Amino acid sequence: MLPRIESPDGENGLADDLDAPEGDAAAPEVRPMAGEGPPHDADWFTALVHEHERALYRYLVRRTGQEAADLTADVLTVAWRRRDDVPDGAELPWLYRTAGFVVANHRRKGRPIPVEHLPDEVEDDDPALHAVRDEQVREALAALSPRDRQIVLLNAWEGLTGQALAEVLGVSRGGADAALSRARARLAAAWVASD
């Protein structure tokens, strides 16, 4: 089940304590982004959640498993707090990019491991690999670098191409196209090698 997100006005939106001072019932100042887009207010946020929460949740469940619901709420909280930074027309890529940062921060906050229990070699265990059922596909994906694996999975699972992929990766459109082409070539080589 997806997490229930409440809006800033207390009616199906985020909690009132996100941006408004305590006891202040007034809505926060709403400024439209530079351009012709709609104001990024509570209605805009509610529409954003309804339109993208499932895709965002699927993105996170493939990468974090059972923690996806909490992390989905964290990403949507960031979206509300930084609503003026969310580009009109590219909301989902912005959410995916933000989710990548939230996942990275979440993994860094992991439980401390006593020094005597540290492994000799670092494991490149990617939870996304556990979501893949086919062993040969899993082996081919595991052979890729984390960056190539991210690019391939953003394309295959999330359906991102072109400008949307570029925005998630934080590169130009040409850079994203080139990175996807290289990652696909490396995946094909890994597939042949695993045969």
Side-chain angles (χ1 to χ4, degrees):
M1 182 169 172
L2 293 175
R4 176 123 174 101
I5 307 297
E6 296 183 7
S7 71
D9 59 8
E11 298 176 17
N12 299 325
L14 290 174
D16 291 332
D17 63 347
L18 287 179
D19 286 328
E22 223 171 285
D24 185 355
E29 177 186 354
V30 175
R31 296 178 308 248
M33 288 190 60
E36 298 82 41
H40 290 185
D41 58 6
D43 291 335
W44 169 87
F45 181 73
T46 300
L48 176 90
V49 170
H50 289 306
E51 187 173 346
H52 299 300
E53 73 176 330
R54 287 194 177 282
L56 180 61
Y57 178 78
R58 284 192 308 265
Y59 173 91
L60 288 164
V61 80
R62 290 178 185 133
R63 287 154 180 85
T64 63
Q66 295 177 349
E67 299 167 330
D70 290 338
L71 294 175
T72 300
D74 289 348
V75 171
L76 291 172
T77 299
V78 171
W80 171 251
R81 288 182 180 155
R82 299 196 53 214
R83 62 192 171 273
D84 289 336
D85 296 335
V86 179
D88 292 322
E91 293 88 354
L92 188 58
W94 187 93
L95 289 169
Y96 284 158
R97 184 164 171 78
T98 301
F101 293 132
V102 167
V103 168
N105 288 339
H106 177 72
R107 288 182 179 155
R108 278 193 291 270
K109 291 179 186 177
R111 293 188 315 220
I113 301 172
V115 176
E116 65 269 7
H117 297 292
L118 286 176
D120 293 331
E121 293 182 26
V122 177
E123 280 188 43
D124 187 25
D125 185 29
D126 187 342
L129 293 177
H130 298 293
V132 177
R133 305 238 188 275
D134 186 288
E135 187 61 32
Q136 187 176 7
V137 174
R138 186 177 305 148
E139 287 175 11
L141 285 171
L144 297 177
S145 70
R147 174 84 169 168
D148 283 346
R149 187 168 42 249
Q150 175 194 24
I151 292 166
V152 167
L153 294 179
L154 283 170
N155 177 253
W157 283 350
E158 313 311 333
L160 297 184
T161 59
Q163 190 60 38
L165 182 61
E167 289 175 15
V168 173
L169 298 175
V171 299
S172 69
R173 165 80 188 256
D177 290 342
L180 179 57
S181 178
R182 286 190 302 268
R184 284 178 173 165
R186 291 180 186 130
L187 179 63
W191 180 265
V192 169
S194 70
D195 250 351

